[in-house]
Amino acid sequence: MDVEVLRALAHPVRLGIVRRLAAEPDICACDFTDEFAVSQPTISAHLKVLREAGLVRTRREGTTICYSLVPETLAGVASEMQRLAGAEGSAAGPAAMASAGHA
């Protein structure tokens, strides 16, 4: 998993955009401005970061650009987080090291 994906998700507005797209795919960029109380150029900049991280894709309808999530990228993030959560119980995990007096 690329660190750019995590960096893209770390911003509250970008995370909110991803959450909204998960609930309602194919949203126009203009539909985000009211929800997040930021300007259209700011939304566009956030969508660009998400697109460059591989989290969203675009589809043009005339002059409108619609955004949707890239499920494969999100599945990769989920898989990595599950792997990290599972590593916590292993001998090399932080909890095991702390109980062994290595913290």
Side-chain angles (χ1 to χ4, degrees), residues 13-33:
V13 171
R14 290 193 292 266
L15 183 58
I17 289 170
V18 169
R19 286 178 174 153
R20 171 100 187 265
L21 286 170
E24 186 182 343
D26 282 335
I27 300 174
C28 169
C30 60
D31 293 335
F32 292 112
T33 54

Side-chain angles (χ1 to χ4, degrees), residues 8-95:
L9 291 170
H11 192 281
V13 171
R14 290 193 292 266
L15 183 58
I17 289 170
V18 169
R19 286 178 174 153
R20 171 100 187 265
L21 286 170
E24 186 182 343
D26 282 335
I27 300 174
C28 169
C30 60
D31 293 335
F32 292 112
T33 54
D34 292 336
E35 185 168 341
F36 297 105
V38 295
S39 69
Q40 180 63 44
T42 300
I43 289 293
S44 293
H46 284 306
L47 286 165
K48 179 181 178 186
V49 170
L50 292 169
R51 192 176 64 250
E52 289 174 349
L55 288 161
V56 300
R57 61 175 56 115
T58 60
R59 182 178 54 79
R60 186 175 287 277
E61 281 187 15
T63 59
T64 303
I65 299 176
C66 297
Y67 291 83
S68 59
L69 294 176
V70 178
E72 300 83 7
T73 304
L74 290 171
V77 171
S79 175
E80 182 69 11
M81 293 299 113
Q82 287 177 335
R83 187 188 69 75
L84 291 172
E88 195 172 305
S90 72

